[in-house]
């Protein structure tokens, strides 16, 4: 009788932990992308801060209304290239759930494009 009770309790504990794990993963995986975007307060220069905001907004616009948008949960600015103190271009990495890099996006003053998709590279 004691063995059976222990098995039942162990099974309930495993089910409970599994449900808790799914809940935590679900919350993290489906957070809206604007919640996890890069912190613009890291840029002290006003020009860099404005360009970083423009780059993130343009990047989000690239993936809007596509199936890919459901995969992407955050963006990170990898670098901002400057010429004579003026921001010229930026490299942004789009991340999926669990921090997996999905795509590298290049943002210039007038255009933004996906340079390469990192998740499906071999």
């Amino acid at each position: 009788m004691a063995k059976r009770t222990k098995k039942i309790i162990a099974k309930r504990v495993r089910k409970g932990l599994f449900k808790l794990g799914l809940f935590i993963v679900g919350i993290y995986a489906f957070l809206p992308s604007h919640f996890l975007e890069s912190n613009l307060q890291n840029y002290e220069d006003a020009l860099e801060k404005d360009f970083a905001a423009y780059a993130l907004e343009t990047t989000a616009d690239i993936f809007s209304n596509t199936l890919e948008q459901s995969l992407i949960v955050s963006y990170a600015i990898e670098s901002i290239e400057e010429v004579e103190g003026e921001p010229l271009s930026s490299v942004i990495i789009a991340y999926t759930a669990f921090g997996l890099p999905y795509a590298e996006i290049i943002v210039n003053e007038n255009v933004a494009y996906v340079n390469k998709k990192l998740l499906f590279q071999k």
Side-chain angles (χ1 to χ4, degrees), residues 10-118:
K11 189 175 182 180
R12 286 184 183 171
V13 168
R14 280 193 302 253
K15 279 186 177 181
L17 289 175
F18 180 73
K19 288 178 182 179
L20 179 64
L22 282 178
F23 179 71
I24 292 170
V25 167
I27 286 174
Y28 176 73
F30 297 106
L31 283 174
S33 59
H34 67 274
F35 184 73
L36 296 171
E37 286 178 355
S38 296
N39 190 358
L40 297 177
Q41 295 173 347
N42 294 338
Y43 300 99
E44 295 174 7
D45 184 22
L47 287 174
E48 276 189 351
K49 188 180 280 188
D50 290 341
F51 190 78
Y54 163 75
L56 288 172
E57 183 179 321
T58 305
T59 301
D61 289 343
I62 287 176
F63 293 112
S64 66
N65 299 325
T66 65
L67 181 61
E68 293 174 323
Q69 179 61 34
S70 62
L71 295 173
I72 298 170
V73 295
S74 68
Y75 303 103
I77 298 174
E78 189 170 294
S79 64
I80 294 179
E81 182 182 338
E82 293 183 7
V83 174
E84 297 177 9
E86 293 284 323
L88 183 63
S89 68
S90 178
V91 176
I92 297 178
I93 305 294
Y95 290 96
T96 63
F98 312 112
L100 298 172
Y102 177 72
E104 179 183 81
I105 299 95
I106 307 294
V107 179
N108 295 325
E109 290 180 6
N110 300 324
V111 67
Y113 60 92
V114 177
N115 188 35
K116 59 184 169 183
K117 293 199 176 176
L118 304 171

